[in-house]
Amino acid sequence: MLPAALPAQPPVTLAPVTSPATAAPTGWQHYAVRGGDTLWDIAHRTGTTTGALAVHNRLPDAGRHLRVGQVLLVPGSPVARPATTTTARPAPSAPTATSTYTVRAGDTVEGIARRSGVTQTSIIKANSLRTPYLIRIGQTLRLLRPTPVAPAASTSANTFAGRTYPATTVAAASAARARLAAAAQPSRTQMRAIISATATRYGVDPRLALAIAYQESGWDQRQVSVANAVGAMQVIPDAGTWASQLAGRRLNLLDAHDNATAGVVILRALTRSAHSLNEAIGGYYQGLGSVQSRGMYADTKGYVATVKALMARF
């Protein structure tokens, strides 16, 4: 969960960006953001991850709100290129081999692509997946090889356009990430069961809690963002303090059960305070105070749509 998810916390205001900070590296092109674009959509259209886009474009971890006309670096080019006068013969494409993969609990298109050495775009096209690219357990996917995968995003940088995270925050995130990596953690299937049971205990729709956690982390308790959003529910320490007050006891975000409790009690508070389910979901991502005073940002609307689509599948 992002820092803006705390009630009444002001949203991060970013300076307008009209061009990327650096020239496009090899294999990357410039793309101008259009109305309705979200970072998630652009990542899936160009066969990369939101994390990789954030790192290449120095986008802030909190929100990653895009503006129409903002120029991003993306792998390849999602838009038509200007005509060129060169007549050089293009290099022949590498041959591809087809294999299959059976979807398991906790799988995502991004995760399958990363583990299998193919791009998300190739999986989406080969299997005619439609946005938001939901897959089901037991589904057989066709995989086309070889296609390079975008490198995993680094979470060690602390300075991005418009926002610099304090060294203490970055250090705390690194420490939390190391502690989670060093200790045994529940599998994604086990984490799903923990979240569902916790939601039921607190009177929250388990489908809502599961959809939020899946969108935030893929039910992966080891996830920690550069802003120190921790665990499967991606709760930052300040939000964890609030959640502890709501739960009536101190919650340890590094503990899987406590992390689920933190996210669930925050969702319970949001659903009780929001005017609609959409507003509550948007509040988890953007902050309820910001949603109610400013309306949902474009990427928040995409987040809400994805979470509701996931709810329909759980």
Side-chain angles (χ1 to χ4, degrees), residues 2-302:
L2 302 176
L6 284 171
Q9 183 174 347
V12 178
T13 301
L14 306 179
V17 178
T18 57
S19 62
T22 60
T26 302
W28 288 66
Q29 305 290 333
H30 294 151
Y31 172 72
V33 175
R34 297 172 293 185
D37 274 343
T38 68
L39 199 66
W40 187 88
D41 290 327
I42 296 171
H44 278 279
R45 289 203 305 268
T46 56
T48 187
T49 65
T50 56
L53 288 179
V55 169
H56 276 80
N57 293 280
R58 298 183 178 179
L59 299 177
D61 183 84
R64 298 177 183 171
H65 304 307
L66 303 179
R67 289 164 294 279
V68 175
Q70 180 176 350
V71 179
L72 301 179
L73 293 174
V74 300
S77 177
V79 293
R81 298 182 182 181
T84 176
T85 56
T86 180
T87 56
R89 183 178 180 181
S93 58
T96 59
T98 303
S99 61
T100 60
Y101 176 86
T102 302
V103 177
R104 297 171 294 183
D107 274 339
T108 64
V109 173
E110 177 180 337
I112 294 170
R114 184 172 59 250
R115 294 194 304 272
S116 303
V118 301
T119 64
Q120 295 178 67
T121 298
S122 70
I123 294 177
I124 291 164
K125 290 183 177 180
N127 297 278
S128 301
L129 301 181
R130 296 184 178 181
T131 185
Y133 310 128
L134 301 179
I135 52 180
R136 64 183 184 278
I137 296 173
Q139 180 178 357
T140 299
L141 299 177
R142 295 176 63 237
L143 305 180
L144 302 179
R145 293 186 175 84
T147 307
V149 181
S154 170
T155 56
S156 61
N158 69 329
T159 301
F160 300 97
R163 184 175 179 87
T164 299
Y165 293 104
T168 53
T169 299
V170 176
S174 297
R177 196 176 299 111
R179 289 177 63 185
L180 287 171
Q185 302 299 333
S187 67
R188 288 178 173 174
T189 301
Q190 292 169 331
M191 196 67 215
R192 172 178 180 161
I194 291 170
I195 294 167
S196 181
T198 303
T200 300
R201 186 166 67 252
Y202 281 94
V204 173
D205 185 348
R207 297 175 305 159
L208 173 61
L210 288 171
I212 289 284
Y214 192 91
Q215 175 66 8
E216 291 285 342
S217 70
W219 303 329
D220 186 354
Q221 176 61 12
R222 289 185 173 85
Q223 291 293 320
V224 182
S225 79
V226 69
N228 202 20
V230 177
M233 301 300 294
Q234 288 291 277
V235 182
I236 63 169
D238 285 348
T241 299
W242 177 43
S244 294
Q245 295 169 352
L246 294 173
R249 65 181 178 85
R250 183 179 179 278
L251 299 175
N252 176 10
L253 299 179
L254 298 178
D255 176 84
H257 289 84
D258 278 5
N259 191 279
T261 298
V264 164
V265 296
I266 289 172
L267 279 173
R268 183 179 64 174
L270 289 171
T271 54
R272 289 177 175 179
S273 301
H275 299 114
S276 66
L277 177 60
N278 283 6
E279 197 174 81
I281 296 171
Y284 198 92
Y285 177 78
Q286 182 181 321
L288 185 58
S290 174
V291 168
Q292 291 180 336
S293 63
R294 299 168 180 264
M296 292 187 193
Y297 300 128
D299 56 335
T300 304
K301 292 178 181 177

